[in-house]
Each structure stands twice: as C-alpha cells, then as structure tokens.
C-alpha cells in the first residue's frame, strides 16, 4: 500500500523541479512513511511513498523492467494484488526475473507480457501507473481497480498530465490549476460529496472505477472503462461450503452456478452462499506480512467479519470508537459483546467531543475536499489509534449496506407501491441538505449561476452531467447502479482510503472482494430486501456466529451523534457558530449569511436531525473553503 504521483508532458512545465516533487511527496507521506522514492527524466517524473505491507524488506519503487530505466518500463503502484503469488509463478515460467516477493514487483513483467490488458490479470485493490519508455514517444498508463477502492486524482493541462493519490498532493504540482468548480457546492450539498469523476476543482478529476487511462503528448488522454466485475461472468462468486480450502478467487467461484441456484430458491440458501463467499474472502485478506486487526462497530456487518477473522487470526484484536459520557446510539456494549463472543482482544478508542474543533479541520484537510458524513472525524481518530497500537492492516465491514440493501431508504423505495414515484424521495434522503432548504440558503446570484451551468430552469435541478437514479420497475437494479457504481466510490471509498492512510493503515474490505460482490450482484432483489427486512442473506449467514443481541438490535449507522453534539453548550456547537459566522459565509458569496445563522438558531432551539446534518455539512464546507483561502 502506497501513495503514488507523477507527471508526463512537454513545454515550460516539463522539467518539474526536484523541490516541487519533494513538496508533492511530502503532502502524502503520512500514507507511505516507510520509504520515499522519485525518478525523473526528460518530460516525466514518477514517485512513491511506500507503506510496507507485503514483503516489507523489498518492494522498491518505481518498479522497473530493463537495465536502464531510460529505455524500459517503470511502474508505481498503490494497493494490494491478492493473486500476486500466482502471477509470479506464471511470469517465472516465462523467463522473467523478479527481484523480491512484493506484490507490485510483478507489474512491469506483467505489462511486458500483456500490454495495457495486464490489468485484466489483477485481483485486488489498486491504482497502477505505468510509464512505457520503450517507444520513441513515452506513454503513461493509469489503471484503477474495478470498484474504485484506490483513487487517483489527475489534472490535464496544456503542458501535460499530473496525477496523485491524494488531492492536496496533486495541488502541489505548480502546473495544476486550482480554480473552483462553481456548481461544486450544490453537488456537495445534494450528494454529500461530488459524485462521478468531478471534484470541487474545475480542472481536477478522479479516474472512475475500472478505468484504463492512456496519455501521450501527441495522442492526448484517452480513458476506457472495463466491464464491471459482477457482470463479467459467474466465476466471481461462490459454490462451495465454508472451510473448503479455497485458492484464488477465480478458482473459488468455479462451482458458483449450483450455489446460486440454491440461493435463488430461498433465504437460507442465499445465507449459506453468502457465508461461504465471505469466509473465503476474509481468509484471503487476513493474510499479511504485518499485524492485522478488525474495526468492529457493534453492528451486523463488522460483527460477521470479526467472527470469520477470528477463525483465521488466533490473536485477533478489534477496535471501536466511543465517546465519554452518555450519547444517543452508543454501540460500545455491542462491539464489546461481539469481541467476547469471538474471543478477540477488544480496544475502545475514545474521542472526546471537546477535541472535535481541533480534529475536524485536520480531517477535512486529509480528505482534500468536503465529505458531509460525520463519520469522517470518527474514522480519522479511530485509525490513528489502530496504528498507534501496532497494526498496519485493518479489516472492516464497509460496503455491505450498498451490496445487500442495508439502508432505510432502500427499504422505503422497495415498499413504495408500484406505479408511484420513489427516486425523488430516495435522493432527498441521500442529500446533506434537502432541496427546499438549499433553495433558501443560496443567494440569487448563485441560483442564476447554477441555472446557466446546468441549462435547466431551476438552479437546484441536476444538469446533463449529473448522475441519475432512474425510475424503473426493477428498483433494486437501479439502486445497485447508483449506490455501488456512483455513490460508493466517491462518498464512501475515498473517505475510507484517505482517512485510514492518514495514519498509515491499510484497510481491506471483504464485502467488496470478487466472491461476495459477484454473489450480491446476482442475488434477486427480494432475497436481499423484502417484507420490511434488509440484508437478509447477511442476517442468515450470521446466525450462530454473531451474538443474538446484535442480530436483534435496530440498525443504525456507525457515526457521530451530531444532533446531540450540536446542542447548545456543546463545544461543537460553539465551533460551528464561529466557523459559520456571517462575515466568513459572505466571503464565499454563494450562501445567504442571515439564513445560515437562522439555521444555526433553529438547530439550537429544536434538536432536529435534518437541521443538524445541514449545519454539519455547511461547517465542513466552510472549513475546506477557509483552508483554500489560507493556501492562496
């Protein structure tokens, strides 16, 4: 796991000064504290900050193929290639010499064998940049994993292309233009972060999941998308039972057809198949050359991962976040009960609300742009303690709600009678600030700007570039595309990546691995959500492995109790008042300061969740905007 960056171009900005490259590397060194390296040549530069996970003594980057890097293949890589041992064996039989056991060391030889199609051989989470210097004109190729677990930000200018694993690092390149994307505030308040390839900077984009981007000076930038893994065939999921000694993900899925037929018929069959798939993936991900822990919230998803990880890790440690005092939604009892049930050593990481005014600006800075989920502060604090306790890898339960339909808004959408609209209400639940409130908060000038940008009659209607949740008979299919294809990479996975790597912790996500993801995609919607129940296969899979108290408890998100923490007299409430003071809001020019103040007054008078979420979202955006002003 690493942080990567680089540039390919021509013109005045071609030769990036070593001081500038050092500044880029420094901005993401927290994610790769073990080793830093940069190579630069005529018109190009590649760099890496390494977090040593696989073969900690090896893995020197940039990886290379060729005695002289000037005429060979150079690779920098962020992530984990879980099938690297199988790929290594294959490459060795074809005559390649590989320097060590590091997973990324196979990449130059793999590219030499398969060209741009090398990415089809990879099983893992990754962002890979390949600089091919063998031809007369260098070409840069950047590939992302199928679900977008490892993001890459890039800037395309007149003089070339720059890329980095994190936004603040990319912005350290002198050629990168930092102009604000004006609709970004509306998109952020609408979706809790910009979706798709957009960022809050007009000229900075994120590569989509399953992307292969190729750039050369003469050919420009070309981005293609590979087929979504769950749609590529049935070999990405499960047919055998628990404990069957599975090998690679592809081999594991060889008998999937029969298993799916069983799972199609009833809930119990779906539960058996889900348990087998998850057992396989947790087992693969629990293997590492460094200590591995589990983040356990006290809910079903992480509880099931904990139970299965305990079968593979005899000295398992679990971590959960708590707050001193009594707060709504406190899950510490359940997290501790899961750990005891599974025989794990349990750690409670305490976050004092009085520390939020100091923690939140640092959290926003690591994200690089606003994300309105209050879990960001918790995530940042939690992974800092995981690392301090000596763990470099952590398994989590992220992704289960998206794959198996765990959100209340999904249950509501499914329960809406046929023929009645449901997508609009669904998107209102997704929003950080509801449409009517956004309308009241925006200045007339900003509403006019949004109308001009989107080409629609209303400043709060989505423009042509917006992701859509379409009304269609197969609601679960539409929800799957929106939640896993659009929202999860932008809102969820980038947040997890940036805030875990802020403390040099590699997060591994069992639910998003091929066997589980493929099975979840193929299960009929009614076996996931129906009759007012959600995540039915997971509940069936967890029986006997997770305490009954966890299975019976009402579902709740693992997040900060923001409504209570924004109550009058709380440190966070005073901090929000200060940050959202009228003079600071007016400087931005897009929000009506008096209405932001009225929202703060409303939240102080009535402890109401919608107003609290809106205040939190505005607070996070203002912290980001203040940080931008300070950097200028």
């Amino acid at each position: 796991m690493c942080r990567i960056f680089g540039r390919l171009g021509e013109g005045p900005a071609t030769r990036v000064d070593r001081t500038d490259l050092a500044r880029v590397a420094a901005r993401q060194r927290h994610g790769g504290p073990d080793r830093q390296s940069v190579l630069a040549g005529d018109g190009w530069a590649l760099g890496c900050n390494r977090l040593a996970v696989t073969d900690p003594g090896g893995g020197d980057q940039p990886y290379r193929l060729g005695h002289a890097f000037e005429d060979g293949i150079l690779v920098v890589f962020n992530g984990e290639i879980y099938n690297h041992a199988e790929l290594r064996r294959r490459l060795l039989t074809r005559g390649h010499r590989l320097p060590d056991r590091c997973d990324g060391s196979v990449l130059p030889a793999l590219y030499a064998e398969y060209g741009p199609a090398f990415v089809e051989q990879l099983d893992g989470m990754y962002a890979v940049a390949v600089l091919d210097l063998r031809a007369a004109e260098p070409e840069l190729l950047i590939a992302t994993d199928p679900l977008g677990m490892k993001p890459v930000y890039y800037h395309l200018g007149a003089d070339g292309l720059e890329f980095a694993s994190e936004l603040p690092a990319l912005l350290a390149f002198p050629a990168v233009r930092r102009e604000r994307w004006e609709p970004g505030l509306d998109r952020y308040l609408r979706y809790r972060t910009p979706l798709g390839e957009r960022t809050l900077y007009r000229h900075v984009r994120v590569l989509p999941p399953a992307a292969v981007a190729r750039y050369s000076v003469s050919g420009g930038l070309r981005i293609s998308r590979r087929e979504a893994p769950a749609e590529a065939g049935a070999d990405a999921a499960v047919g055998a039972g628990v404990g069957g000694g599975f090998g690679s993900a592809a081999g594991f899925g060889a008998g999937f057809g029969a298993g799916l037929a069983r799972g199609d018929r009833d809930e119990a069959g779906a539960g058996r198949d889900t348990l087998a798939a998850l057992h396989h993936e947790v087992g693969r991900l629990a293997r590492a050359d460094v200590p591995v822990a589990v983040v356990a919230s006290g809910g079903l998803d992480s509880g099931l991962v904990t139970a299965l990880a305990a079968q593979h890790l005899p000295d398992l440690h679990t971590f959960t976040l708590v707050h001193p005092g009594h707060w709504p939604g406190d899950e510490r009892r359940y997290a501790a009960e899961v750990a005891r049930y599974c025989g794990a050593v349990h750690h409670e990481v305490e976050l004092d609300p009085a520390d939020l005014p100091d923690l939140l600006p640092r959290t926003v800075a690591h994200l690089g742009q606003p994300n309105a989920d209050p879990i960001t502060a918790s995530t940042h604090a939690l992974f800092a303690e995981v690392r301090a306790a000596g763990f470099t890898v952590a398994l989590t339960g992220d992704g289960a709600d998206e794959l198996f339909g765990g959100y209340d808004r999904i249950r509501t959408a499914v329960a809406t009678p046929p023929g009645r609209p449901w997508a609009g209400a669904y998107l209102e639940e997704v929003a950080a600030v509801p449409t009517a409130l956004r309308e009241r908060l925006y200045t007339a000038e900003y509403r006019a700007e949004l109308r001009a940008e989107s080409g629609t009659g209303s400043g709060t209607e989505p423009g042509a570039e917006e992701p859509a949740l379409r009304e269609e008979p197969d609601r679960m299919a539409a929800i799957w595309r929106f939640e896993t294809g659009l929202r999860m990479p932008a809102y969820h996975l980038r947040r997890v990546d940036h805030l875990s790597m802020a403390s040099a912790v590699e997060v591994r996500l069992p639910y998003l691995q091929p066997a589980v993801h493929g099975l979840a995609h193929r299960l009929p919607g009614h076996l996931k959500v129906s009759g007012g129940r959600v995540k039915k296969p997971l509940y069936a899979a967890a029986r006997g492995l997770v305490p009954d108290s966890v299975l019976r408890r009402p579902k709740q998100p693992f997040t900060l109790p923001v409504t209570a923490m924004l109550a009058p007299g709380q440190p966070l409430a005073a901090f929000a008042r200060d940050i959202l003071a009228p003079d600071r809001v007016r400087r931005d020019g897009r929000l009506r300061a008096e209405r932001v103040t009225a929202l703060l007054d409303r939240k102080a008078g009535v402890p109401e969740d919608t107003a609290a979420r809106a205040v939190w979202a505005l607070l996070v955006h203002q912290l980001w905007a203040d940080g931008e002003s300070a950097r200028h």
Side-chain angles (χ1 to χ4, degrees):
M1 184 68 70
C2 305
R3 279 359 214 165
I4 61 174
F5 58 93
R7 186 182 193 281
L8 179 62
E10 65 173 2
T14 290
R15 292 192 174 275
V16 182
D17 186 273
R18 286 280 179 174
T19 303
D20 294 325
L21 290 173
R23 187 179 303 112
V24 174
R27 289 201 180 176
Q28 51 187 23
R29 183 168 183 169
H30 46 261
D34 297 324
R35 203 172 307 156
Q36 289 74 45
S37 55
V38 179
L39 282 180
D42 186 15
W44 60 265
L46 283 182
C48 170
N49 307 84
R50 188 179 186 218
L51 175 62
V53 173
T54 302
D55 189 10
D60 288 339
Q61 296 198 44
Y63 308 110
R64 63 184 72 185
L65 188 69
H67 296 293
F69 65 73
E70 293 89 349
D71 59 0
I73 297 169
L74 300 176
V75 179
V76 288
F77 158 64
N78 171 30
E80 287 288 340
I81 306 300
Y82 299 123
N83 64 334
H84 67 96
E86 173 190 329
L87 294 174
R88 179 174 289 102
R89 288 191 295 270
R90 187 192 314 167
L91 291 167
L92 289 172
T93 63
R94 298 190 183 189
H96 291 280
R97 298 178 62 186
L98 303 177
D100 51 46
R101 295 186 303 103
C102 184
D103 53 340
S105 296
V106 305
L107 293 170
L110 201 66
Y111 178 82
E113 285 285 336
Y114 295 98
F118 82 101
V119 70
E120 303 291 347
Q121 309 297 316
L122 303 180
D123 172 16
M125 55 179 179
Y126 51 83
V128 181
V130 180
L131 184 63
D132 191 340
L133 298 170
R134 296 173 300 176
E137 182 180 19
E139 181 177 75
L140 177 67
L141 179 150
I142 309 174
T144 55
D145 66 66
L147 297 181
M149 288 181 270
K150 296 288 112 183
V152 177
Y153 299 89
Y154 70 94
H155 170 268
L156 180 62
D159 294 320
L161 182 140
E162 298 84 17
F163 71 91
S165 295
E166 297 186 11
L167 256 173
L170 180 67
L171 295 172
F173 280 105
V176 174
R177 296 163 288 172
R178 328 174 52 114
E179 178 186 342
R180 186 173 70 181
W181 181 48
E182 289 299 337
L185 171 60
D186 176 67
R187 303 313 188 261
Y188 161 66
L189 297 179
R190 182 196 302 271
Y191 299 116
R192 307 192 193 192
T193 202
L195 298 189
E197 299 172 47
R198 282 287 193 178
T199 72
L200 289 193
Y201 299 95
R202 180 172 292 277
H203 303 291
V204 174
R205 299 291 179 105
V206 188
L207 281 180
V212 175
R214 300 174 68 177
Y215 174 79
S216 65
V217 170
S218 65
L221 178 64
R222 296 148 290 160
I223 300 176
S224 60
R225 298 284 300 274
R226 309 189 301 281
E227 188 176 20
E231 298 165 7
D235 284 347
V238 56
V242 173
F246 307 113
S248 69
F252 174 64
F256 172 64
L260 181 60
R262 289 196 305 270
D264 265 347
R265 285 202 297 267
D266 56 46
E267 186 177 329
R272 287 191 298 271
D273 286 350
T274 300
L275 178 59
L278 194 59
H279 183 276
H280 167 67
E281 297 294 11
V282 169
R284 291 201 308 152
L285 272 56
R287 294 192 292 268
D289 294 337
V290 293
V292 178
V294 171
V295 171
S297 67
L300 166 67
D301 307 336
S302 63
L304 187 49
V305 169
T306 301
L308 296 175
Q311 299 177 19
H312 298 279
L313 298 169
D315 185 26
L316 179 64
H317 288 244
T318 59
F319 290 79
T320 196
L321 193 90
V322 302
H323 308 290
H326 301 284
W327 297 94
D330 190 340
E331 296 189 277
R332 72 182 74 197
R333 167 201 154 194
Y334 298 104
E337 191 171 347
V338 167
R340 283 195 303 271
Y341 197 83
C342 299
V345 179
H346 188 54
H347 305 258
E348 290 186 350
V349 177
E350 190 171 271
L351 173 58
D352 192 325
D355 295 333
L356 285 171
D358 178 59
L359 177 64
L360 192 52
R362 290 187 281 117
T363 303
V364 173
H366 275 296
L367 289 168
Q369 65 177 352
N371 182 302
D373 195 334
I375 203 176
T376 54
S378 305
T379 302
H380 191 184
L382 181 63
F383 284 114
E385 292 302 315
V386 170
R387 179 68 182 196
F391 294 91
T392 308
V393 171
L395 307 186
T396 77
D398 293 289
D401 285 322
E402 286 80 4
L403 266 61
F404 290 94
Y407 295 118
D408 284 341
R409 60 180 176 269
I410 298 178
R411 174 169 31 204
T412 301
V414 169
T416 302
R420 293 185 58 182
W422 57 272
Y426 193 99
L427 291 177
E428 284 291 272
E429 286 295 313
V430 166
V433 180
T435 303
L437 181 54
R438 293 200 305 271
E439 284 274 11
R440 291 198 299 273
L441 291 174
Y442 294 160
T443 62
E445 293 79 10
Y446 187 49
R447 287 199 300 272
E449 191 168 3
L450 290 174
R451 284 195 296 272
E453 180 95 18
S454 67
T456 67
S458 169
T460 57
E461 288 298 315
E465 88 289 351
E466 284 292 280
L469 181 64
R470 297 194 301 270
E471 300 273 359
E472 60 179 75
D474 190 345
R475 296 175 188 179
M476 287 297 290
I479 289 168
W480 173 280
R481 289 193 299 272
F482 178 78
E483 291 288 353
T484 68
L486 284 169
R487 191 169 184 270
M488 186 171 69
Y491 177 64
H492 201 109
L493 297 179
R494 289 177 211 161
R495 176 186 77 223
V496 170
D497 173 79
H498 294 347
L499 296 179
S500 60
M501 290 292 278
S503 297
V505 175
E506 173 182 297
V507 166
R508 296 182 177 181
L509 308 166
Y511 288 103
L512 299 186
Q513 301 312 305
V516 183
H517 180 270
L519 173 62
H521 182 264
R522 290 176 178 81
L523 281 174
H526 72 274
L527 284 181
K528 292 187 279 189
V529 181
S530 63
R533 297 167 55 215
V534 299
K535 292 193 294 194
K536 292 162 62 176
L538 293 186
Y539 279 98
R543 292 189 187 105
L545 293 173
V546 174
D548 288 343
S549 59
V550 172
L551 299 181
R552 290 194 302 264
R553 61 175 295 213
K555 176 182 167 51
Q556 69 178 58
F558 180 52
T559 189
L560 281 177
V562 170
T563 302
M565 289 185 177
L566 282 170
Q570 293 295 330
L572 186 61
F575 181 62
R577 286 271 181 187
D578 179 45
I579 298 300
L580 294 173
D583 59 330
R584 299 174 90 157
V585 173
R586 288 192 191 97
R587 279 200 297 268
D588 183 86
R590 292 177 289 180
L591 298 173
R592 297 181 61 172
E594 76 281 4
R595 294 197 173 172
V596 172
T597 299
L599 178 64
L600 288 164
D601 293 339
R602 169 182 155 193
K603 173 64 193 72
V606 180
E608 194 262 318
D609 291 344
T610 300
R613 285 196 301 268
V615 168
W616 177 272
L618 295 174
L619 168 63
V620 167
H621 184 271
Q622 190 63 47
L623 286 170
W624 172 80
D626 289 350
E628 274 297 285
S629 298
R631 282 187 287 273
H632 283 296

